[in-house]
Amino acid sequence: MLFHRRLRFLRWFRVLPLAIMAALGVFSLGFGTLPARVTRTVIAPVTYPAQVADSAARHGVDPYLVCAVIRCESGWNEKATSSAGAQGLMQLMPATARELSEFGLVDASKYDATRLQDPATNIEYGCAYLAYLQKQLGSTDKVIAAYNAGIGTVHQWSSQSDASSDFRKTISYPETALYVERVHVAYAEYQRLWPEGIGV
C-alpha cells in the first residue's frame, strides 16, 4: 500500500513539471500571436507618450531609453517613492532636480522641481538628467550605470579600464550590473514593439 502511494507520488512528481512546461509553452505561443498593441501593454507600456516624445526631443535623448528607464525605475507608477527619497516615474532625487534647475537645464518657470510626482515634470527632469549624463559620459552603458550608481562612481569604474575593454565588466556593484542589463532588455522590447516610434 505504501509502495503504491509512493509510486503515484513519483508519477505526479514527474508529470506535474511537464504539464506546467507544456501549459507555459502554449501560453507563449498564444501570446506571441497577439497583436502588438496588446503585448505592448504588458511588455512595453507607455503611459505618457506625448510627454516622453516632447521632453526626449527637447533634450536630445532617445525616447526608447527614456521609456526603458521608466519601466525599470517605477513600472510607470508616477506616485512611486523609494526608501532613499527618489520620486516619480524616473525616480529622481529632489536634490538632483534642484541642481538641474539651477544649472538652467530645465525651465523651472514651467517645471517646478518640487513637483516630481507630476508625470510631465518628472519626465522633463529625467530627460534633462539623461542628456547631462550623455554629455559627460558618452556611452549608453555608462549613462545607464550612472543613472543608478551616480556619475562619480562611473568615473571611478572608467578610470580602472582602458578604452578597448568592456565597461560592463568594470561595474563592481551587482545591483548596477543587473540594472544596466534590465534597461537594455527593456530598451530592446520598446524598439521591437514600437518600431514606428513611441506612441505611434
Side-chain angles (χ1 to χ4, degrees):
M1 189 77 165
L2 184 60
F3 173 76
H4 290 298
R5 279 189 205 155
R6 282 187 183 166
L7 191 58
R8 274 197 303 261
F9 172 76
L10 287 173
R11 282 186 191 144
W12 275 110
F13 190 72
R14 289 183 186 151
V15 171
L16 191 59
L18 291 173
I20 291 170
M21 285 176 58
L24 288 173
V26 169
F27 175 78
S28 295
L29 283 172
F31 195 75
T33 61
L34 292 173
R37 68 180 182 278
V38 175
T39 55
R40 282 175 183 170
T41 60
V42 177
I43 297 172
V46 181
T47 309
Y48 302 98
Q51 289 87 343
V52 169
D54 290 348
S55 291
R58 189 165 27 259
H59 294 283
V61 295
D62 186 339
Y64 292 122
L65 179 60
V66 176
C67 289
V69 167
I70 293 172
R71 177 81 165 140
C72 294
E73 287 288 342
S74 69
W76 294 92
N77 175 8
E78 68 268 16
K79 301 298 181 192
T81 303
S82 77
S83 56
Q87 297 178 19
L89 292 168
M90 298 188 75
Q91 288 295 277
L92 290 158
M93 294 296 287
T96 302
R98 278 195 307 274
E99 286 173 7
L100 292 166
S101 175
E102 287 164 9
F103 293 160
L105 299 174
V106 174
D107 181 356
S109 66
K110 190 172 180 184
Y111 299 100
D112 184 348
T114 64
R115 297 187 64 237
L116 290 177
Q117 291 195 332
D118 170 65
T121 300
N122 194 281
I123 291 168
E124 180 70 13
Y125 279 96
C127 286
Y129 188 43
L130 285 173
Y132 172 78
L133 294 174
Q134 269 180 192
K135 189 175 178 183
Q136 299 298 314
L137 300 168
S139 88
T140 303
D141 280 342
K142 290 179 182 178
V143 168
I144 297 168
Y147 201 92
N148 179 261
I151 194 168
T153 306
V154 168
H155 279 310
Q156 244 182 351
W157 291 333
S158 297
S159 69
Q160 296 166 2
S161 64
D162 56 47
S164 64
S165 64
D166 181 2
F167 169 74
R168 290 196 208 185
K169 291 179 181 173
T170 69
I171 298 173
S172 60
Y173 296 171
E175 177 196 336
T176 302
L178 180 61
Y179 179 78
V180 170
E181 186 60 34
R182 286 175 57 229
V183 171
H184 274 292
V185 168
Y187 181 88
E189 292 294 355
Y190 278 102
Q191 284 186 310
R192 181 175 69 85
L193 291 169
W194 297 89
E196 305 298 320
I198 297 304
V200 181

